Amino acid sequence: MAASTSDGGSVKQSNNSTSEDTEPSTEEFCPGFKDVDAFVKHGLGAVVAATKASACLPQAGDEFDFYRSFPGFQDFCAIQGDRLLQTMSQLMQHYGCSSLMKDRNKLTGLEDRFDLVVESNDVVLEKVVGMAEQLPLMKPNLVFTIPLSQGGGRGAQTFCLLQAKNIQRPQLKFKEKVDNSNTPFVSKIFIKPNATKPLPSYFTNKHLQKERPEDLDVPAALADFIHQLRTQEHMDDMFSHPYQYELDHLVMPQHLGHKPEPQMYKPLAETSCKFIDTLEDLVALNEKLAKTTEFAVDLEHHSYRSFLGITCLMQISTREEDFIIDALELRSEMNVLNESFTDPTIIKVFHGADLDIEWLQKDFGVYVVNMFDTHQAARSLNLGRNSLDHLLKVFCDVDSNKRYQLADWRIRPLPGEMLQYAQADTHYLLYVYDRLRADLFDAANGQPSLVQVVWSKSKDLCLKKYVKPIFTEDSYMELYRKQKKSFNSQQLMAFRLLYSWRDKMAREEDESTGYVLPNHMMMKIAEELPKEPQGIVACCNPTPPLVRQQLNELHQLIKQAREIPLLKVSHAERAAPFGVWPQLSESTLFGPHDTSHVSESGFIELSSHGRSRHVLQTPDITFYLTILVSASFSSYNSGHLTVAQQKARNITDSFENPFRMYLPSKDIHISKNAKYDPSSKIYEISNQWKLQSLEQQQKEAQAKRQAHEQAKKARGT
């Protein structure tokens, strides 16, 4: 069924009903801000500016201590610290929490204040959750208007609750199952319209694309290994951009080399807007687009309840009409649009196409040839702000309502307000495109040089290829370094296991990692190392559903992390993969009775020419010193190992790969020496393939020789 809002009536009706229910208030929301949107925008800008400025502060350690030695820096830190504490105290008092933030004299003051902040956060979150529970459960086809009284006689503000709690997962209706496997992304394209160079045989041969040996009774890692060997000859084709050749030889259209006369847009209410949710309508739309010279495109995406994310909506606008495509309903048929999207004679206008290009490839197998990105044009003009809402305000005097930008676009049917927002995103974009091109000509003294630059940057964006997130044994280190925390070996092991578990669950359940276990909760669990399952729950507020379901499994991971030797991992070692020991020279060795390396806390410190130090706490000093020294320079550099060195290797191997069963299938889980071990299955398979390959090469060489001899005989006769 195709729903049409050709006269904009449904949208206008929604707006009229809102204005009847709530009369606009002439009073300010709060001093200096006319409404909530202005207040939120100002607050967000201030937070972003403060976050950027914080990156310039001296880092903790020697750098900060150096600056701290200057009285001026000390005074500045004290003043700013008092301001922050005062602000936090006021916020806590506002929510009825106890506030003793100004007490700076106690030895335990910092720890007490931190606990106080954590408790206050819990109180605020509980109040928010309580307010949400009092609201009626929203149905997907309803929009609630919630007036919030501001007190003091001020007018009420209206908010639209546009997230439904019980939406059926659209992934369940997809004809083609979402591929969350830990393997690189392969393009979905199988037909190449507007081709100058034919599509590689890999994409046209369905047998090659479906030859993955998952049905074989072999381990997952071995299946990946077999698949890689089978597809080795098609590797370049599998991961190449299908339109690389066409884009490399694309030249800028001639009409872009002339200053345009901006063509005024039609009023939004007078422009037809058709909702496309059938294949027949989609084919008809593609035929219309093929007859145009330019059209505008935008996408609405959802990423919270999906591992790779889902494109839910596509908006397309021509000079005469607007279209909204239900990308969930037509997901497997969207490749029809490749005919118009890859036509080099038609300009596709996007704004900020970096992610749009990747989403089109990932979900639909749709590619773009000949694009103009208005975001790149705004950057070339140095407008200061390059967002679409800023451009709409400058060129069209339209205030874009961004309250629906983060709405749940999986809702079906879509409310009128969301349809109007989606339509407005592309309705004005072609006029903005005209105005930006004219300004680019003016900025270049009437020359097309800046237009050429923007067009070239847009072409580079078209060449982007979607890359799936691939899990490796060291993936956790990237997130760990960003957190700027210093974990000991047990905490780091727990973090590593939790990261691996989260990735595994997210892929299996098709949920985002943030839904499975948010970063801050994962860091909290790894830092606390709870001894009981309820301790894990205490680290998560609110507790994610999958954490509650898999609580016992998580508890076992934490127990395993607590059983490894306790080592301090210094800040310098965070840059290296976990389990890589410092190389110790002969001169740094010491005996078990050497107390010069024993700290007051009972830890033994191993140093290596001024490098970072591992600290070990254990009752059996001699045994672990033997292990550490052996693991450092003997066990991996010598082919003949003693019993102690073999024990050292076993322990360090446990650091390198402590929980293989939770790692997604990948060829890295195969032993590096397996293909050289005659007793292994991999050796047997690879050897058979090598023999077959050699035999094939010999046959080919013999055939060439015979052909050469026959050619010589033919020439002789």
Side-chain angles (χ1 to χ4, degrees):
M1 181 184 70
S4 175
T5 59
S6 58
D7 59 352
S10 62
V11 176
K12 289 193 294 184
Q13 181 179 356
S14 173
N15 290 341
N16 291 338
S17 62
T18 303
S19 61
E20 291 173 3
D21 296 338
T22 306
E23 295 182 358
S25 174
T26 57
E27 298 185 11
E28 291 184 337
F29 166 70
C30 63
F33 302 98
K34 62 179 182 180
D35 54 22
V36 173
D37 289 340
F39 178 78
V40 171
K41 185 176 293 187
H42 175 79
L44 179 61
V47 171
V48 170
T51 304
K52 289 182 178 179
S54 66
C56 302
L57 295 175
Q59 298 296 316
D62 296 339
E63 184 181 359
F64 179 79
D65 293 340
F66 171 74
Y67 281 98
R68 186 75 175 174
S69 63
F70 295 95
F73 185 79
Q74 290 184 24
D75 296 340
F76 176 80
C77 289
I79 294 172
Q80 297 302 320
D82 289 338
R83 289 181 59 189
L84 288 173
L85 291 176
Q86 183 179 5
T87 303
M88 294 170 67
S89 299
Q90 292 175 351
L91 287 172
M92 293 161 66
Q93 291 172 4
H94 176 75
Y95 285 100
C97 306
S98 57
S99 174
L100 298 173
M101 300 297 293
K102 293 184 178 180
D103 188 359
R104 300 164 58 97
N105 298 323
K106 294 183 179 179
L107 295 176
T108 60
L110 180 61
E111 186 174 340
D112 292 341
R113 289 196 295 271
F114 181 80
D115 293 339
L116 194 60
V117 172
V118 172
E119 292 175 4
S120 301
N121 284 337
D122 291 341
V123 171
V124 174
L125 288 173
E126 287 174 1
K127 288 187 177 182
V128 172
V129 173
M131 291 174 61
E133 290 176 349
Q134 294 174 7
L135 296 173
L137 182 63
M138 175 185 152
K139 297 179 181 179
N141 60 338
L142 294 179
V143 178
F144 283 95
T145 302
I146 308 171
L148 298 181
S149 177
Q150 303 300 330
R154 296 194 181 119
Q157 293 290 323
T158 302
F159 295 89
C160 290
L161 183 62
L162 291 175
Q163 289 194 349
K165 197 172 185 180
N166 295 328
I167 299 178
Q168 184 181 9
R169 305 194 71 192
Q171 297 97 309
L172 301 176
K173 296 182 179 180
F174 291 165
K175 297 178 183 178
E176 190 176 322
K177 186 179 179 181
V178 178
D179 180 20
N180 292 329
S181 63
N182 195 40
T183 54
F185 173 76
V186 178
S187 176
K188 296 182 176 183
I189 193 171
F190 59 92
I191 298 177
K192 186 178 178 182
N194 305 301
T196 305
K197 181 179 179 181
L199 192 66
S201 60
Y202 175 83
F203 297 106
T204 57
N205 192 332
K206 291 294 182 182
H207 172 69
L208 291 175
Q209 297 185 45
K210 295 182 178 181
E211 66 176 358
R212 286 188 60 81
E214 287 91 348
D215 54 336
L216 298 179
D217 188 17
V218 295
L222 182 57
D224 281 349
F225 178 72
I226 295 173
H227 171 64
Q228 289 181 15
L229 290 178
R230 283 183 181 177
T231 59
Q232 192 68 38
E233 59 180 305
H234 305 285
M235 194 65 68
D236 293 337
D237 295 340
M238 289 169 59
F239 305 116
S240 63
H241 194 293
Y243 285 88
Q244 175 86 39
Y245 182 84
E246 287 77 7
L247 286 167
D248 287 342
H249 293 79
L250 185 67
V251 295
M252 189 177 78
Q254 291 184 357
H255 71 273
L256 286 184
H258 305 284
K259 184 176 179 180
E261 187 67 34
Q263 183 176 341
M264 194 63 183
Y265 55 86
K266 295 172 64 176
L268 187 66
E270 299 176 8
T271 306
S272 66
C273 180
K274 188 171 185 180
F275 190 79
I276 308 292
D277 61 354
T278 65
L279 179 58
E280 293 77 11
D281 289 338
L282 185 65
V283 172
L285 169 61
N286 182 64
E287 293 175 353
K288 283 186 178 181
L289 297 178
K291 298 175 183 177
T292 63
T293 57
E294 70 259 320
F295 58 85
V297 187
D298 190 30
L299 303 176
E300 301 299 342
H301 194 260
H302 178 85
S303 59
Y304 184 60
R305 296 302 305 275
S306 171
F307 181 71
L308 299 177
I310 312 171
T311 303
C312 304
L313 215 64
M314 177 186 288
Q315 304 99 280
I316 295 178
S317 291
T318 65
R319 298 284 184 180
E320 301 298 328
E321 52 188 334
D322 304 323
F323 303 91
I324 298 178
I325 306 173
D326 188 348
L328 297 178
E329 184 69 26
L330 299 173
R331 179 182 174 92
S332 58
E333 289 85 20
M334 293 290 287
N335 55 75
V336 170
L337 295 175
N338 257 330
E339 183 179 357
S340 52
F341 273 65
T342 60
D343 190 335
T345 64
I346 304 174
I347 294 182
K348 278 66 67 174
V349 182
F350 286 75
H351 181 84
D354 305 62
L355 293 176
D356 292 344
I357 293 294
E358 296 184 7
W359 293 340
L360 288 171
Q361 297 176 21
K362 169 179 65 75
D363 291 330
F364 315 130
V366 172
Y367 292 82
V368 180
V369 176
N370 196 4
M371 179 187 72
F372 190 95
D373 191 340
T374 54
H375 179 264
Q376 297 295 331
R379 291 183 61 183
S380 297
L381 290 170
N382 296 318
L383 296 181
R385 292 180 57 193
N386 307 317
S387 62
L388 180 59
D389 59 333
H390 178 65
L391 297 180
L392 293 180
K393 183 63 177 177
V394 171
F395 295 124
C396 308
D397 195 24
V398 172
D399 291 316
S400 178
N401 191 349
K402 288 298 180 183
R403 76 164 106 178
Y404 305 119
Q405 193 171 23
L406 300 179
D408 193 340
W409 291 97
R410 300 175 303 159
I411 298 174
R412 294 295 182 274
L414 283 167
E417 292 90 339
M418 293 178 70
L419 285 172
Q420 184 180 19
Y421 168 83
Q423 179 187 2
D425 258 4
T426 55
H427 178 76
Y428 305 98
L429 195 53
L430 289 177
Y431 177 74
V432 171
Y433 157 68
D434 291 342
R435 291 288 302 272
L436 286 172
R437 281 193 296 146
D439 289 353
L440 287 170
F441 271 92
D442 293 339
N445 298 320
Q447 299 299 316
S449 56
L450 283 179
V451 175
Q452 177 72 51
V453 169
V454 173
W455 183 85
S456 298
K457 290 181 178 179
S458 302
K459 187 178 75 168
D460 292 340
L461 289 178
C462 293
L463 286 167
K464 286 188 67 175
K465 294 183 291 186
Y466 173 72
V467 179
K468 276 175 67 176
I470 300 298
F471 178 87
T472 66
E473 293 184 357
D474 296 326
S475 296
Y476 72 102
M477 287 301 297
E478 182 179 357
L479 177 59
Y480 174 63
R481 296 187 193 105
K482 290 180 180 178
Q483 301 301 316
K484 297 183 179 180
K485 286 183 176 287
S486 183
F487 281 173
N488 60 38
S489 59
Q490 292 181 354
Q491 293 171 325
L492 193 56
M493 178 64 74
F495 181 72
R496 179 182 187 177
L497 296 176
L498 290 171
Y499 189 96
S500 176
W501 172 86
R502 182 178 74 164
D503 184 271
K504 170 177 170 286
M505 293 301 301
R507 292 177 189 271
E508 290 179 356
E509 302 295 331
D510 195 18
E511 301 284 4
S512 67
T513 54
Y515 176 83
V516 176
L517 182 61
N519 289 341
H520 68 281
M521 295 185 185
M522 184 166 59
M523 295 294 294
K524 182 71 172 177
I525 296 172
E527 187 174 14
E528 296 293 334
L529 293 176
K531 295 182 179 180
E532 301 295 336
Q534 290 305 315
I536 298 177
V537 176
C539 293
C540 306
N541 188 12
T543 307
L546 289 174
V547 170
R548 193 174 294 278
Q549 293 176 17
Q550 306 291 331
L551 192 57
N552 291 332
E553 186 175 353
L554 289 173
H555 178 54
Q556 293 302 319
L557 297 182
I558 301 302
K559 283 181 63 177
Q560 180 175 346
R562 296 178 67 93
E563 291 173 357
I564 71 168
L566 182 61
L567 303 170
K568 281 186 180 179
V569 182
S570 67
H571 180 77
E573 290 173 308
R574 294 168 59 177
F578 184 61
V580 177
W581 300 87
Q583 297 296 314
L584 301 181
S585 65
E586 296 283 350
S587 60
T588 60
L589 301 182
F590 54 92
H593 303 291
D594 183 1
T595 59
S596 62
H597 296 271
V598 180
S599 63
E600 296 180 359
S601 60
F603 288 87
I604 290 186
E605 305 180 2
L606 303 182
S607 61
S608 175
H609 299 294
R611 288 184 57 189
S612 55
R613 295 183 288 182
H614 289 289
V615 183
L616 175 67
Q617 187 179 37
T618 174
D620 193 348
I621 301 299
T622 306
F623 173 71
Y624 279 111
L625 286 179
T626 305
I627 287 177
L628 290 174
V629 174
S630 301
S632 299
F633 65 95
S634 299
S635 62
Y636 292 101
N637 297 330
S638 174
H640 305 284
L641 304 181
T642 64
V643 175
Q645 290 171 346
Q646 186 61 48
K647 290 182 179 180
R649 169 175 284 185
N650 293 338
I651 288 183
T652 52
D653 283 346
S654 71
F655 279 108
E656 290 184 354
N657 201 349
F659 213 60
R660 291 179 184 272
M661 62 182 292
Y662 280 95
L663 297 176
S665 62
K666 202 171 185 290
D667 57 330
I668 57 175
H669 305 310
I670 303 173
S671 172
K672 294 179 180 178
N673 299 320
K675 59 183 178 181
Y676 305 112
D677 182 4
S679 63
S680 69
K681 186 68 175 177
I682 298 173
Y683 177 86
E684 179 183 343
I685 295 173
S686 60
N687 196 37
Q688 289 177 3
W689 286 338
K690 282 183 180 178
L691 293 175
Q692 293 174 1
S693 178
L694 290 173
E695 184 179 354
Q696 184 178 359
Q697 291 177 11
Q698 292 173 359
K699 288 181 179 179
E700 291 177 354
Q702 185 177 358
K704 287 182 180 179
R705 285 196 298 269
Q706 291 176 355
H708 183 65
E709 291 175 358
Q710 292 176 0
K712 287 176 64 177
K713 290 179 180 179
R715 286 195 298 269
T717 58

